[in-house]
Amino acid sequence: MGLLLLCLGIGWWLWKGVAAMEDPEFIIGPAAYYIINTAEETGAANIVAAILFDYRGIDTLGEASVIYTTVCGVAMLFSKSKYKRSSAGLSFIARRGVSFLVPFLLLYGSTIILMGHMTPGGGFQGGAVFATVTILLCIVFGSSFEMSRIKPKTKETIESLGGLFFVFLGGVGLLAGAGFLANTAAGFPRGQVGNFLSAGAIPLLNIAVGMKVGAGLSTIFYSMVRVLELEFGEQMSEVEGNDKN
Amino acid sequence: MIKISYATAIFVFCIGLYTILSKRNLFKTVIGLTIMESGALMLIVTAGYVHGGVPPLIPMEGQAVNPLPHAFTLTAIVIGASDVALALALVIKVHRRYKTVDLDKIRGLKE
Amino acid sequence: MTAFFAFVCVFLALTALVASEAEEVLSAVISLSVFGVLMAMVFVILQAPDVALTQAVINSGLVTSFFLVAYSQTQKPNLLEQKQDIGDGQ
């Protein structure tokens, strides 16, 4: 009861803070500058993508390294487990249905990544769609199928390549003398706003982040599933041993 | 409309805080963490809303909403997902050690 | 638009309450998935399509599957019985 009153008190305190705010009619601060100058400076039609990968690119690099740290943490927690037994997977109808759906899902994910500088989307969303596809394969076909098609080593390589590609694109700006992660100032072509080939390095950075996020989240899920199946396999062998005794 | 949004964000945040403080199941604690994070993100996005605004995509007709909170929230959601994954991995480790996810029982075993 | 927004907000608060107060962890996880979809709708109404896309993919797809894997990890006896039943049937 005391906890409930405490939470209600904190809520009332926060509400008193925001109730004084009016409906704003215009924007001030750095966001106004971004809205006016994005088309000229970067050539991207999606202002959020321009902020993420151009104006505040180094924040995005830090964010991508958070995912890398999480993969390392999960892998360290489950380091001693080995892969023994696969889950059985679902029925024939589910397998046929999913194998019909998977190409369209892959197309959807690549569209989100490649059109990220013109329409809503980008590397984070498209990478999450790719991770969802691998999770779907893992659930429906069983994890040994997923492991035989996309090896864990391949995922790690893709993730590392994504990170290295991001840093390399930042280093190009450094070599051109325009600063780390500089876009059009470093000589990337700006193009026409709204065209597919525009916005300089932003589509390439989208691809790098998509590789990193998709492979990273997929690896996290796969590590957790592997632990589950290991424990299950151990129990089964214990039961079989008891039967023999 | 902006008042409704602020009120909902604060309410959701308080539900998450109450879940973390009061529940004894570790899964409920992680669920509370997710709810609380969503409430905070909704508050941030609401702070960037402009009355009668349009999405920040060129070409715009009229005043665009503030794109800076969108960029922050976008990265924060992905960080939140990896956060939850790490927390759940720790819960699995706790379950392997103590064979329970109840916080009271874990404390009882320790003494 | 405001009435629809208020309706979505009330529904959002209800799903958050269910996710907090449900006895079964499984019900709470499914309610959390619905909560994520409703949050994506709120972001669309607040004119943030990028954030809505991320929220819809991650919070209702990925986070739910993480929760389900971790939950099935703590339910080993049921899994074992199920597997034995299948083995007997064959």
Side-chain angles (χ1 to χ4, degrees):
Chain A
M1 196 60 203
L3 284 176
L4 193 62
L5 283 179
L6 175 74
C7 293
L8 283 177
I10 289 175
W12 175 246
W13 183 56
L14 287 171
W15 171 248
K16 267 173 65 184
V18 298
M21 288 189 184
E22 298 287 320
D23 253 14
E25 299 281 340
F26 53 90
I27 296 172
I28 53 169
Y33 175 83
Y34 293 152
I35 289 177
I36 294 167
N37 292 314
T38 294
E40 278 190 19
E41 285 186 1
T42 67
N46 186 358
I47 299 177
V48 177
I51 292 174
L52 270 179
F53 295 110
D54 189 346
Y55 294 112
R56 293 175 177 269
I58 200 157
D59 286 1
T60 309
L61 181 61
E63 198 275 339
S65 55
V66 168
I67 291 178
Y68 184 71
T69 316
T70 310
V71 173
C72 289
V74 174
M76 189 194 75
L77 280 174
F78 300 141
S79 60
K80 284 182 183 174
S81 46
K82 281 181 190 167
Y83 181 80
K84 277 185 185 172
R85 186 189 288 258
S86 166
S87 60
L90 298 182
S91 67
F92 177 77
I93 296 172
R95 284 170 187 237
R96 283 298 140 214
V98 167
S99 58
F100 179 73
L101 271 180
V102 161
F104 293 101
L105 282 173
L106 290 176
L107 185 68
Y108 177 58
S110 16
T111 311
I112 287 178
I113 290 182
L114 291 176
M115 311 275 275
H117 55 293
M118 296 147 55
T119 53
F124 292 106
Q125 294 94 328
V129 171
F130 277 121
T132 314
V133 170
T134 57
I135 288 172
L136 208 59
L137 283 179
C138 196
I139 291 171
V140 173
F141 287 92
S143 52
S144 68
F145 176 84
E146 202 246 343
M147 195 187 74
S148 69
R149 289 301 158 95
I150 315 163
K151 290 194 173 58
K153 205 77 181 172
T154 317
K155 284 180 195 167
E156 287 167 22
T157 315
I158 289 174
E159 195 192 355
S160 310
L161 276 181
L164 283 177
F165 191 39
F166 199 109
V167 177
F168 170 74
L169 285 171
V172 169
L174 209 58
L175 284 180
F180 192 65
L181 281 170
N183 191 359
T184 49
F188 288 108
R190 189 169 66 90
Q192 188 72 33
V193 175
N195 279 2
F196 182 66
L197 291 174
S198 66
I202 290 178
L204 300 174
L205 290 174
N206 262 329
I207 292 172
V209 170
M211 285 160 72
K212 196 153 175 47
V213 171
L217 291 175
S218 177
T219 309
I220 291 172
F221 180 81
Y222 187 71
S223 311
M224 290 168 79
V225 166
R226 197 174 58 171
V227 175
L228 171 71
E229 285 167 355
L230 171 75
E231 297 244 324
F232 180 61
E234 275 178 354
Q235 271 203 348
M236 283 303 287
S237 57
E238 276 177 17
V239 169
E240 282 162 10
N242 289 339
D243 286 348
K244 277 172 192 169
N245 291 336
Chain B
M1 178 168 156
I2 206 163
K3 290 279 167 61
I4 302 172
S5 187
Y6 274 130
T8 314
I10 290 171
F11 187 65
V12 166
F13 182 85
C14 290
I15 290 173
L17 188 63
Y18 177 70
T19 312
I20 287 181
L21 288 177
S22 68
K23 299 292 186 236
R24 288 291 154 218
N25 192 332
L26 283 175
F27 279 112
K28 281 296 182 67
T29 312
V30 183
I31 287 173
L33 192 71
T34 315
I35 293 174
M36 209 165 136
E37 182 210 325
S38 295
L41 297 182
M42 191 177 166
L43 193 76
I44 295 174
V45 171
T46 309
Y49 182 72
V50 175
H51 188 68
V54 297
L57 296 167
I58 298 171
M60 292 174 289
E61 295 160 359
Q63 175 69 57
V65 297
N66 197 337
L68 205 53
H70 298 183
F72 294 152
T73 352
L74 197 64
T75 54
I77 289 173
V78 182
I79 289 182
S82 40
D83 234 13
V84 166
L86 197 58
L88 288 173
L90 286 172
V91 171
I92 291 176
K93 281 301 254 195
V94 166
H95 182 266
R96 284 168 110 186
R97 177 85 168 75
Y98 294 108
K99 303 293 176 201
T100 179
V101 290
D102 199 322
L103 217 52
D104 285 334
K105 283 181 188 166
I106 290 171
R107 280 192 189 130
L109 284 173
K110 202 173 160 188
E111 283 169 5
Chain C
M1 201 57 175
T2 310
F4 180 65
F5 185 66
F7 174 73
V8 173
C9 281
V10 170
F11 210 8
L12 189 76
L14 276 180
T15 48
L17 271 178
V18 171
S20 165
E21 292 298 325
E23 292 286 326
E24 286 267 325
V25 175
L26 210 56
S27 318
V29 169
I30 300 302
S31 180
L32 194 70
S33 177
V34 179
F35 175 81
V37 173
L38 287 171
M39 189 61 95
M41 285 173 71
V42 165
F43 285 144
V44 167
I45 296 172
L46 290 175
Q47 310 288 344
D50 291 86
V51 187
L53 199 52
T54 320
Q55 178 82 16
V57 173
I58 285 185
N59 215 354
S60 54
L62 277 170
V63 171
T64 309
S65 52
F66 287 156
F67 267 109
L68 290 180
V69 167
Y71 178 71
S72 58
Q73 169 71 19
T74 63
Q75 301 290 317
K76 281 181 294 184
N78 292 342
L79 198 71
L80 199 63
E81 282 170 16
Q82 198 181 6
K83 188 71 181 181
Q84 275 177 339
D85 286 347
I86 291 171
D88 291 343
Q90 286 167 353

